[in-house]
Amino acid sequence: MKKILLIGQTGQLGAELIKEGASFDFEIISFEKNNLNVNDRLQIEKKIIEIKPDVLINTSAYHVLSQCEQNPDKAMLTNFIAVRNLAELCRDNNVVFVTYSTDYVFDGQKGLAYEESDLSNPLQVYGFSKLAGEYAALSIFPEGTFVIRTNGVYGGKNGSPEKNGNFVLNIIKEANNKELIEVSAEQIVSPTYASDLSVASLKLLNSQALPGIYHLVNEGSCSWYEFTQEIYKLNGIKKLLKPIDRGGLSGGIKRPKFSALQNTKAKALGIILPSWQDGLNRYVTFLKNF
Ligand SMILES: NC(=O)c1ccc[n+]([C@@H]2O[C@H](COP(=O)([O-])OP(=O)(O)OC[C@H]3O[C@@H](n4cnc5c(N)ncnc54)[C@H](OP(=O)(O)O)[C@@H]3O)[C@@H](O)[C@H]2O)c1
């Protein structure tokens, strides 16, 4: 059984990786943030030497967009410097390194779902800091780094501890407080269930995949408006929904208008994720049964 040292056990993705690990014959070892902080290089190094993992998976991020704009130094510390340090430690200790990135490395100008080889051009501090992390890891440890880009992640009963929820939970909450709900119809995304992302990530690790960048999202794409329509339909919520065009801006921060991703490389390896509708359906069922 291979050992995985996991950073981010309380997160949407981290929690799902822990759930799924055993069925892929991985022993997943994780710690609370205080005992495994990506910004504490020495602490991480000690854990790697003590545990001797085969793989290190980093799901941590500084990813609230407004906070990244206000504190670019913090965004760079967690999303770039820490990722660079992890890549160095993994290289020096012969550990496979997996770290997550985002659709926000793209500017959305392509107008079609992005493939792994497409040119990046981030529009905001968050995307820039994550792209810096990608470059650092892939240049320091190209022979052992997997960068997995994903999009619109949702999962768990409470969603992301960093973001205080997720789109699905927040838009359901909004329906309790408002009569008219306005949702962006111009931003096209590939919303992804953390459970499907974790399974696909573990399949990738169990495959003959070569290191490099991989896109892993639920299949297909939709606007946030269409996603909301589906969430409300599945929950029997009958509120007035209004599609709006925010011109790619939200809270004054630029977002790509079209940042759906294609899982081109994973598909070539036979790793197929369910559609976004299927992922959402299972998440809504999970929330109802919780
Ligand atoms: N959520 C999305 O919509 C989305 C979209 C595209 C890409 N991604 C990427 O996907 C990955 C996983 O996202 P997610 O939604 O699962 O995130 P999440 O739910 O917010 O979880 C982040 C995890 O990282 C931990 N963490 C934060 N700062 C840390 C630090 N300094 N040291 C160690 N751990 C730290 C958090 O711990 P605490 O709870 O203790 O703070 C939490 O367990 C991230 O790399 C993110 O950039 C996410």
Side-chain angles (χ1 to χ4, degrees):
M1 189 181 256
K2 282 190 181 172
K3 267 191 214 169
I4 294 179
L5 179 59
L6 171 75
I7 301 175
Q9 65 172 8
T10 55
Q12 303 190 96
L13 173 60
E16 294 293 343
L17 283 165
I18 291 171
K19 245 190 247 170
E20 299 293 343
S23 46
F24 285 85
D25 216 21
F26 285 118
E27 180 191 357
I28 302 208
I29 300 155
S30 62
F31 297 89
E32 284 178 358
K33 187 162 72 180
N34 284 347
N35 294 318
L36 196 66
N37 193 314
V38 277
N39 296 315
D40 186 339
R41 183 182 171 127
L42 203 61
Q43 191 187 48
I44 305 257
E45 186 172 18
K46 277 187 189 158
K47 282 281 190 282
I48 290 178
I49 289 169
E50 178 192 320
I51 289 160
K52 297 186 181 51
D54 301 287
V55 182
L56 184 143
I57 300 186
N58 172 36
T59 68
S60 76
Y62 189 79
H63 61 145
V64 177
L65 255 56
S66 56
Q67 288 177 11
C68 289
E69 296 296 314
Q70 284 157 17
N71 309 301
D73 49 341
K74 286 190 180 167
M76 292 304 270
L77 272 179
T78 301
N79 299 337
F80 165 43
I81 304 291
V83 175
R84 183 201 66 188
N85 290 342
L86 294 177
E88 277 177 3
L89 291 171
C90 285
R91 178 196 62 197
D92 296 349
N93 291 281
N94 200 21
V95 176
V96 171
F97 180 40
V98 179
T99 193
Y100 287 83
S101 189
T102 170
D103 54 312
Y104 277 20
V105 299
F106 295 115
D107 62 15
Q109 293 296 318
K110 182 180 175 189
L112 291 170
Y114 283 97
E115 297 188 89
E116 290 86 352
S117 56
D118 283 321
L119 208 61
S120 43
N121 181 31
L123 300 175
Q124 65 310 94
V125 171
Y126 170 61
F128 183 78
S129 64
K130 292 293 277 190
L131 183 61
E134 288 188 6
Y135 274 124
L138 290 167
S139 60
I140 285 168
F141 189 29
E143 62 279 24
T145 294
F146 290 81
V147 168
I148 298 177
R149 293 191 188 129
T150 188
N151 184 333
V153 179
Y154 57 88
K157 173 136 179 43
N158 300 313
S160 154
E162 302 296 307
K163 293 184 168 178
N164 202 14
N166 60 41
F167 186 88
V168 180
L169 295 170
N170 295 345
I171 208 79
I172 292 173
K173 246 185 245 157
E174 243 188 271
N176 297 328
N177 308 327
K178 289 184 187 168
E179 279 314 307
L180 172 71
I181 290 113
E182 296 183 332
V183 188
S184 145
E186 91 285 6
Q187 284 171 35
I188 309 297
V189 288
S190 306
T192 297
Y193 186 20
S195 168
D196 292 339
L197 174 59
S198 68
V199 168
S201 302
L202 295 169
K203 280 185 182 168
L204 193 70
L205 278 174
N206 263 348
S207 75
Q208 298 302 311
L210 294 172
I213 299 175
Y214 288 83
H215 289 177
L216 292 181
V217 292
N218 277 125
E219 278 294 318
S221 61
C222 58
S223 68
W224 288 118
Y225 171 73
E226 290 164 324
F227 191 49
T228 305
Q229 281 183 314
E230 194 70 14
I231 295 166
Y232 283 6
K233 191 179 91 189
L234 292 171
N235 283 285
I237 297 172
K238 293 186 173 57
K239 283 283 161 95
L240 201 55
L241 257 184
K242 185 178 169 196
I244 56 163
D245 184 343
R246 292 203 169 98
L249 276 175
S250 188
I253 301 166
K254 277 193 202 162
R255 290 155 198 258
K257 280 196 180 178
F258 200 118
S259 63
L261 302 178
Q262 288 190 57
N263 306 323
T264 309
K265 287 170 66 179
K267 251 188 217 165
L269 292 162
I271 300 168
I272 314 286
L273 282 90
S275 69
W276 67 262
Q277 291 94 335
D278 189 89
L280 178 62
N281 206 330
R282 280 176 288 116
Y283 183 49
V284 169
T285 305
F286 160 81
L287 289 175
K288 283 182 184 165
N289 292 334
F290 200 82

